[in-house]
Amino acid sequence: MLVDSHCHLQDKKFGRDRDDVLRRAREAGVSALIVVGYDMESSRRAIDIADSNESVYAAIGVHPHDARTVTAADVQALSRLADSATVVAIGEIGFDYYRNLSPREDQRRAFQQQLQLARSLSLPIVVHSRDADEETFEILEAYEREMRDEWPRDRPLGVMHCFAGDLALALRYIELGFVISISGTCTYPNADRTRAVAGGIPLRWMVVETDAPYLPPQPQRGQRNEPAYLADTVRFIAGLRGESFDVVADGTARTTAWLFGLGDIGHPAAHSLGERP
Ligand SMILES: [Zn+2]
């Protein structure tokens, strides 16, 4: 069993063959997927796809790239969209200081607004952080303090999507109650730091993702990425860890179910991974 914890099937690159992409994912053993929004429109489309396909779920939110566009009305609209039964998280939200497509003050404001939205809805968050290690950790550390009395001890606060920090930072996030998501970038020749994370964190705190259509694993590099390629990344991680493919596939699927509260992915242990650190 494989679960793709983060993909963008609503992207126009899947406009022509989305059903085929989903079929290939199932054939490759991907039993559930989370379609993640990055602006208002892509969040609505994530819900549409989740509503019309079994074991497909949605995360809704506005990416830091578009932070400057986020209005109070958007946050209210996201809150209404979250009523849909297939919405399992708020995201992707966070900081992107690499491309800086929105001013940093706007990124901070939109991140805070959407953190408070997740808090009010009791939903986990999907965090994007690029070239902003310190700022992201600081804001999430404060968030964890706020949530300490209101969030269940036996549920992660969210996931660090496509984690690109080092092992020490990954362990600090786990300590805070965040799951670490490993993408196909761990297969790239220059990705020693990500390999150290993929090999070094407890499986219980790891999920895997494609981030499709972006970031194809090394064998498919240069092509459009799709959820079926998740198996290549998991095989690679299993090799790094000296564990079997099934152990990593099943372990990360369980953790994804734990993180997002997915009861119906056919895994009896989905809700019994115990307390946060
Ligand atoms: Zn993404």
Side-chain angles (χ1 to χ4, degrees):
M1 171 183 289
L2 288 164
V3 178
D4 188 348
S5 74
H6 189 120
C7 63
H8 302 291
L9 282 188
Q10 75 275 60
D11 191 284
K12 58 179 182 300
K13 293 194 181 75
F14 295 114
R16 284 193 187 160
D17 63 345
R18 188 171 296 108
D19 290 343
D20 291 334
V21 169
L22 273 165
R23 181 181 45 76
R24 284 197 292 273
R26 308 284 188 211
E27 285 167 5
V30 179
S31 53
L33 313 93
I34 319 298
V35 179
V36 180
Y38 41 86
D39 59 16
M40 297 305 295
E41 182 52 28
S42 64
S43 294
R44 287 189 193 95
R45 292 180 52 209
I47 296 172
D48 287 344
I49 294 168
D51 283 349
S52 46
N53 290 280
E54 209 169 317
S55 299
V56 177
Y57 302 90
I60 58 171
V62 180
H63 192 284
H65 287 345
D66 285 307
R68 69 191 145 73
T69 69
V70 176
T71 63
D74 287 337
V75 178
Q76 275 170 13
L78 286 171
S79 177
R80 282 192 299 274
L81 288 174
D83 281 341
S84 174
T86 53
V87 172
V88 295
I90 297 299
E92 54 187 280
I93 58 176
F95 288 129
D96 196 308
Y97 286 3
Y98 177 72
R99 293 185 66 192
N100 284 308
L101 296 185
S102 280
R104 293 183 177 191
E105 313 83 77
D106 287 334
Q107 294 193 34
R108 179 168 290 273
R109 174 184 54 81
F111 195 5
Q112 288 286 16
Q113 283 172 310
Q114 294 179 94
L115 284 173
Q116 292 310 317
L117 175 68
R119 183 184 180 188
S120 69
L121 297 167
S122 298
L123 286 173
I125 54 174
V126 178
V127 180
H128 172 103
S129 173
R130 193 155 182 210
D131 283 5
D133 280 355
E134 272 173 48
E135 294 84 348
T136 306
F137 190 84
E138 198 181 291
I139 211 168
L140 293 179
E141 200 176 31
Y143 184 64
E144 189 273 337
R145 270 196 302 275
E146 277 180 5
M147 297 290 272
R148 215 167 269 173
D149 297 327
E150 39 192 275
W151 188 259
R153 287 292 313 162
D154 62 353
R155 207 154 165 222
L157 285 161
V159 55
M160 303 308 296
H161 136 70
C162 194
F163 187 75
D166 62 15
L167 178 58
L169 184 61
L171 295 172
R172 284 168 71 204
Y173 273 120
I174 291 170
E175 198 61 38
L176 215 53
F178 285 88
V179 163
I180 304 296
S181 182
I182 304 295
S183 76
T185 60
C186 72
T187 64
Y188 296 174
N190 62 356
D192 287 336
R193 194 164 68 168
T194 306
R195 279 189 282 279
V197 174
I201 60 173
L203 195 54
R204 185 183 154 216
W205 287 93
M206 190 196 296
V207 299
V208 288
E209 65 171 282
T210 58
D211 203 20
Y214 311 107
L215 307 177
Q218 192 64 24
Q220 286 87 21
R221 229 165 156 182
Q223 302 173 37
R224 177 188 71 175
N225 196 8
E226 62 175 72
Y229 301 160
L230 187 64
D232 292 296
T233 299
V234 168
R235 198 168 296 113
F236 185 86
I237 294 170
L240 282 178
R241 297 178 64 89
E243 291 166 342
S244 72
F245 176 88
D246 286 348
V247 163
V248 175
D250 203 52
T252 52
R254 273 170 63 161
T255 300
T256 312
W258 180 44
L259 164 68
F260 294 124
L262 314 181
D264 65 337
I265 67 161
H267 208 300
H271 299 289
S272 61
L273 288 184
E275 299 224 316
R276 289 185 273 127

